[in-house]
Amino acid sequence: MDANFHVAHEALGFAYTQTGRHGEGVSEFEKAIALSGGSPVIVAELRHAYALSGRRAEAQAGLDELKELSKQAFVLPYHIAAIHTGLGERDQAFEWLEKAYQEHYGGLAYVNVEPKFDSLRADPRFTDLVRRIGLAP
């Protein structure tokens, strides 16, 4: 109803990205960033969508920016892990998921159902993380 509501564009970005429509997801995340004034969470989502859409250089540049920013301000390790996952960098993704775990990030409660981490599920490190979080049956 409101074309300037950034959350709607962010939600569309998620939906498009999760259904393999990465280019459309990128477009929606870019709109959401512009409308939100540069939300770091949406920027991280955009970088993940870049990675999935094959725009590796842009994803990597954003990843480098977030890591640099994390030295001065709080950046959710969870989002950095998601970008690494999108880039196919499993070891780095687990390193950042572990940081999220060590920092008691509440969003890890969704790691077991978060589509961004589907490619990690078969890895024993994922099973261990889920167990330590308390999500394993």
Side-chain angles (χ1 to χ4, degrees):
M1 292 174 54
D2 180 358
N4 293 318
F5 185 51
H6 80 274
V7 177
H9 291 285
E10 181 182 10
L12 279 171
F14 285 127
Y16 285 139
T17 301
Q18 290 176 5
T19 57
R21 297 166 65 181
H22 305 302
E24 292 166 284
V26 164
S27 178
E28 291 300 328
F29 284 131
E30 288 172 341
K31 290 175 190 172
I33 289 167
L35 294 170
S36 71
S39 163
V41 171
I42 304 172
V43 169
E45 295 297 342
L46 172 63
R47 301 310 183 181
H48 179 256
Y50 280 159
L52 294 175
S53 67
R55 295 168 66 173
R56 292 185 65 81
E58 291 162 291
Q60 187 63 54
L63 187 56
D64 294 342
E65 289 170 18
L66 286 172
K67 286 181 180 178
E68 191 60 35
L69 179 61
S70 75
K71 295 176 184 175
Q72 303 161 4
F74 182 71
V75 174
L76 290 171
Y78 187 85
H79 294 297
I80 293 175
I83 299 168
H84 279 298
T85 302
L87 289 167
E89 299 170 344
R90 298 167 65 88
D91 291 339
Q92 295 91 331
F94 279 112
E95 176 184 327
W96 286 91
L97 283 172
E98 184 61 31
K99 287 181 185 185
Y101 175 77
Q102 294 299 325
E103 293 175 7
H104 306 284
Y105 174 57
L108 283 174
Y110 303 101
V111 73
N112 224 7
V113 295
E114 173 58 63
K116 290 181 193 82
F117 300 115
D118 284 350
S119 65
L120 304 179
R121 294 192 201 296
D123 191 300
R125 294 174 289 183
F126 190 84
T127 304
D128 178 60
L129 176 66
V130 168
R131 180 192 54 75
R132 287 183 289 133
I133 294 169
L135 299 174

